[in-house]
Amino acid sequence: MKRYRVRLAPKKWRWPTAQVAGREFAREPVVLQEVELTDEIRNSPLLIVEEFGMDEDPISEGVDATDGARALAEAEGVPLGAVVGSGAGGRVTKKDVERAMGVADD
């Protein structure tokens, strides 16, 4: 069965959440099974819908992050999709991952 990562398209919607097909979506991705992906969700201009394989991490893949942030998150087991990015355009930085781990010096 196919799986899909679904999140808001940040350049098309300025609010933190949106209702599409009776479901609430945010900028943080959610995972839907193929049977849950309605045509309304698939074709909504407000959402980004990406198919991914069974061996991929559905939340961390596709997150805009620096190489250092990605390496640290992988080494420490931190899902990048759960980290709020402070870089340009919401990009996740190494400092953001450290913050999420509770070790950053602010």
Side-chain angles (χ1 to χ4, degrees), residues 60-87:
S60 295
E61 293 293 322
V63 172
D64 186 16
T66 64
D67 291 341
R70 206 169 283 286
L72 179 60
E74 185 175 331
E76 298 296 328
V78 176
L80 282 174
V83 178
V84 177
S86 64

Side-chain angles (χ1 to χ4, degrees), residues 44-65:
S44 173
L46 300 179
L47 300 175
I48 297 171
V49 178
E50 304 165 304
E51 183 180 345
F52 64 94
M54 297 305 278
D55 59 336
E56 292 181 67
D57 177 348
I59 303 302
S60 295
E61 293 293 322
V63 172
D64 186 16

